Amino acid sequence: MWSELTKAIATFDIPADWIGIRAVKKNSSTRHVRDGLPQINGKSSTMGVMLEVLANGCLGYAATNSLDLPSLQAAAHTAYKQALAASKWMIYPFSESQRPKVVGEYNSPFLEPLDALSPGEINNLLVRICQTLKINDKIVQTTASASTTERETWFASSNGSEVYQKIISIGTHYGAIAQDGAIVQQRTNNGWQAHCYQGGWELLKQDDLWPQVQQVGEQAVELLTAAECPNTRTNLVLAPDQMMLQIHESVGHPLEIDRILGDERNYAGGSFVKTSDFGNLVYGSPLMNITFDPTVPGEFASYGFDDTGAVATREHVIKEGVLQRGLGSLESQARAGVPGVACARASSWNRPAIDRMANLNLEPGNATFEEIIGSIEHGVYMESNRSWSIDDRRYKFQFGCEYAKLIENGKLTKTLRNPNYRATTPEFWHSLTQIGNAENWQMYGTPMCGKGEPNQAIWVGHGSPVCVFANVEVFGGGG
């Protein structure tokens, strides 16, 4: 692949300041079973190239699904003409410093390759999960799914960049819906499609799989007779699987620099954060330490380089509650004049890279789960996201969870159904009073973070321990 890409760059007869080529090859599969019956058995392959050209201080883009030399040359000319046309309305002049030379390689860790199981073996496993979920007749629907992706990327540039990355990932999901008359409840393994990681089939075939599947079915039925979550202000304890969404929506999206600059306002919205807030805004309590970290082995959005070649490093975006840097690419950093991270990412070969969160993690504290619960006189513990709503500035939000427990006098007592909570982002993060230790830190991921026009659904990862938030409004209802 390298010879084709570097040869193509050498033949481009355009007076560009910089040229980059990103070739992407992706093979994916999806298996889905409902009530023990296979519904989807599919696989797909795609391959293509994105050309990026810097001219007159502007970047132009063009994609092609053909790797022959005439097609690459035609795409380069299209991108060059696009850059020249855009330069008439230039917002900020970019230079080659936004595309430094980089050479390197990244490979996902895995134990069992994606071809270790046949389609029949995968389906049999998913069917058995559905059968195990149906613990009695009150379970009216069961689902189980597994998706895999192998994605190879080659990046070359006119200033000598050569980057190869191979990412192997798997996502699994299962859940049950229980019904008793007018009461309907669902329970899943940590929320919708939260089990997404880099690795192979070892991530599904774990020793505790069947006890976990059994527990999901049992808790779905348990919720049918559970008390409604009370309407009150109290201590809210969130499990790591719900903290995933909390971090994603109220930290990740508002810190994307292109949103702060207004680029996403038409589609995904803006942010309550201003460029002047970096280095100054007290985002949350001193316990709040958020890192952008694509270097975590096995986390869903790990990589060695972003899609423009910037080297991925672990960086604090919030340190001891104070906002440090944004989620912005090299060009967004230059435009905004604020520090960012290596987060220019594209969902496919036919999309340009834009500012995206990757692995965004809340660093652990010192408390055990038992110590956290034991210290609370009254509160509500919630697991697994069920619903979410947040305004386009990422300021006011309301989230619902699948499963909750009342906390009374330092103990988890009765089960609660339909738990919800609401707050504003600054109020909520300032109320963070306790944070779990490394033993209860867990990471999850999702493949469906949407942004950009045309839309790009991209994969992100989030890790967190159990957390306590004081004086939060919680309430019952369908969410």
Side-chain angles (χ1 to χ4, degrees), residues 395-415:
Y395 188 75
K396 296 179 180 178
F397 64 83
Q398 174 178 307
F399 298 148
C401 294
E402 292 179 357
Y403 187 84
K405 286 280 192 179
L406 191 64
I407 305 172
E408 298 175 294
N409 300 317
K411 294 182 179 180
L412 296 172
T413 58
K414 62 183 180 180
T415 301

Side-chain angles (χ1 to χ4, degrees), residues 27-75:
N27 297 311
S28 58
S29 72
T30 301
R31 318 284 175 191
H32 179 72
V33 172
R34 185 177 67 212
D35 297 329
L37 300 174
Q39 303 292 308
I40 298 173
N41 285 284
K43 59 182 180 179
S44 63
S45 297
T46 180
M47 186 171 185
V49 172
M50 173 62 73
L51 273 292
E52 188 180 23
V53 172
L54 176 66
N56 278 14
C58 283
L59 289 161
Y61 305 88
T64 175
N65 60 1
S66 176
L67 270 68
D68 64 71
L69 190 57
S71 297
L72 296 176
Q73 290 172 332

Side-chain angles (χ1 to χ4, degrees), residues 80-102:
Y80 176 68
K81 290 187 288 185
Q82 185 188 95
L84 294 182
S87 67
K88 299 177 183 179
W89 295 275
M90 185 186 301
I91 296 174
Y92 182 91
F94 296 118
S95 68
E96 198 174 319
S97 64
Q98 276 82 56
R99 294 292 184 270
K101 176 183 175 180
V102 64

Side-chain angles (χ1 to χ4, degrees), residues 405-467:
K405 286 280 192 179
L406 191 64
I407 305 172
E408 298 175 294
N409 300 317
K411 294 182 179 180
L412 296 172
T413 58
K414 62 183 180 180
T415 301
L416 303 174
R417 69 170 178 241
N418 301 328
N420 306 273
Y421 65 98
R422 63 166 67 100
T424 65
T425 294
E427 169 198 12
F428 187 77
W429 285 104
H430 277 271
S431 73
L432 176 62
T433 58
Q434 292 190 70
I435 186 165
N437 61 16
E439 291 183 0
N440 60 63
W441 190 92
Q442 298 172 13
M443 63 184 183
Y444 297 95
T446 176
M448 298 301 293
C449 176
K451 185 181 170 186
E453 293 183 290
N455 181 61
Q456 299 196 44
I458 210 161
W459 51 100
V460 298
H462 300 297
S464 174
V466 173
C467 293

